[in-house]
Amino acid sequence: MSITAQLRDSVKLPGGRALVNGFAFESRGATQCRALLRNGHELEVHDLHQVFAGERAPMAVFPCPWPGWERGVHSVGPDGSFAVFSGQRAVRAVGSGGQTLWEYRHGCWGPEIGHPHTGDEQEVCRGLEHGSCRISDDGRLVWAHVVGADAEDGAERWVVLDARDGRELAGLPLDGAAAGSHHLSHPDGVHMGLCVGMGQDGILLHWARLDGERLTGWDLNVTMDRILTDVHAGHPGFLTVEHYGADLQLHALDGTVLAEREPGPAGDEDLSWDYGGGFVDADTVIAGTVGDDEDPEQAVHWLLDARTLETREAVAYPSGPVTGGVRPLGDGTWLTYDEESGTLDRWGVAGSRTPSPAG
């Protein structure tokens, strides 16, 4: 059984692929959906509602502090007045005019512990490892995954910084050796999630909240295989996908599994869940399956019940099968990216009512 998707908008947005298949998408509820796209030595910020309403110019542009550093997951303040960059040896806040607001120095993400540096601010050390940062939804805090300052240790930390001056307010030591990470802020405005990828060594998933001057955290690292995918204001918990796509799980905020679904309508062993997907709205989750042999006919997007993860329907697109990832916006619509045409498409369920884009 399938349900027909309706094309709501289609635009050519340079770098749009990273919105669906990377970490360029930053949302703060369904009302603020942004694309953080690198263009040369600059980070361009686009409001997606404005993009689909016809506005092609970015709402803000920030110079990248380290032009040679192309990794890290960055964040932009709720009002768009400042950005925080996750660098190889520092977290830096940059104002709308390009001025440095503050910098928080930390150890180097380079894989060789204690390796020397030349002192050149723009030096980029070898290695693909990186951290991430996230500005809180009220714009007051910056959460950052960093390497400890002790160059001989190399231990990683999760810190909370004052967004005004970069002062460290609290921190937690972390186990593991990251290849990369990303944050996801919970809509309750209190809790923050951190997902740390360690390549073939697995996944670490942490949640925390700031209680005064103390950071209270907990994790889901018994199996070390849960990737944090999405949250929604209509749910107190969060969604995860197993490291190799074996199942989707809906969790309470403390990690308790509320629902679980294997790939496909009957748990086909040849299928796995894609890493994207999430809440289309409070009632619906969208997720894609992929086959072991990369057969396009097995690349299907499915609509699931957001509370039970029971499969509802496969999504049928009027233009034919849509392969690749899917990025739900939480407002009843979702994004896909067409590699051949370079277009970013916004879809909804045919016959359903979607809120009009707002600036």
Side-chain angles (χ1 to χ4, degrees), residues 138-342:
D138 61 10
R140 299 173 58 188
L141 304 174
V142 175
W143 296 69
H145 175 212
V146 302
V147 177
D150 186 349
E152 300 303 322
D153 185 343
E156 297 169 19
R157 301 182 69 228
W158 196 11
V159 298
V160 181
L161 312 176
D162 190 315
R164 297 170 298 180
D165 55 18
R167 176 172 53 93
E168 183 176 327
L169 302 176
L172 285 175
L174 300 177
D175 294 328
S181 69
H182 70 274
H183 285 77
L184 198 58
S185 59
H186 197 277
D188 65 8
V190 175
H191 295 92
M192 184 68 71
L194 173 66
C195 188
V196 180
M198 300 187 295
Q200 63 183 11
D201 293 331
I203 305 290
L204 299 179
L205 176 53
H206 302 269
W207 281 95
R209 65 176 183 268
L210 184 63
D211 296 323
E213 298 180 352
R214 185 169 64 94
L215 196 57
T216 300
W218 60 98
D219 62 56
L220 280 75
N221 298 328
V222 174
T223 57
M224 296 175 59
D225 66 357
R226 307 307 308 179
I227 300 174
L228 179 61
T229 58
D230 205 9
V231 291
H232 193 278
H235 292 264
F238 55 93
L239 279 172
T240 67
V241 61
E242 193 269 338
H243 189 191
Y244 296 103
D247 59 64
L248 289 173
Q249 290 183 351
L250 176 68
H251 304 260
L253 195 52
D254 64 3
T256 301
V257 177
L258 304 177
E260 180 176 294
R261 181 58 45 196
E262 294 180 348
D268 191 329
E269 293 182 359
D270 294 329
L271 294 177
S272 60
W273 291 113
D274 199 355
Y275 295 138
F279 292 101
V280 174
D281 53 33
D283 299 318
T284 308
V285 164
I286 190 168
T289 52
V290 293
D292 291 340
D293 56 0
E294 299 184 359
D295 182 353
E297 292 186 0
Q298 292 183 311
V300 178
H301 295 156
W302 300 89
L303 296 183
L304 314 175
D305 184 282
R307 289 175 172 79
T308 65
L309 297 185
E310 290 291 333
T311 303
R312 290 179 177 171
E313 302 97 354
V315 179
Y317 292 94
S319 56
V322 172
T323 60
V326 58
R327 173 74 67 180
L329 300 184
D331 63 353
T333 65
W334 64 91
L335 304 178
T336 61
Y337 183 75
D338 188 292
E339 297 281 358
E340 292 186 5
S341 65

Side-chain angles (χ1 to χ4, degrees), residues 341-353:
S341 65
T343 57
L344 187 69
D345 296 323
R346 177 172 173 257
W347 304 89
V349 175
S352 66
R353 183 178 180 275

Side-chain angles (χ1 to χ4, degrees), residues 53-76:
E55 179 59 65
R56 297 297 180 264
M59 60 173 288
V61 179
F62 299 93
C64 299
W66 313 278
W69 173 248
E70 298 182 352
R71 305 191 182 281
V73 181
H74 318 306
S75 186
V76 173

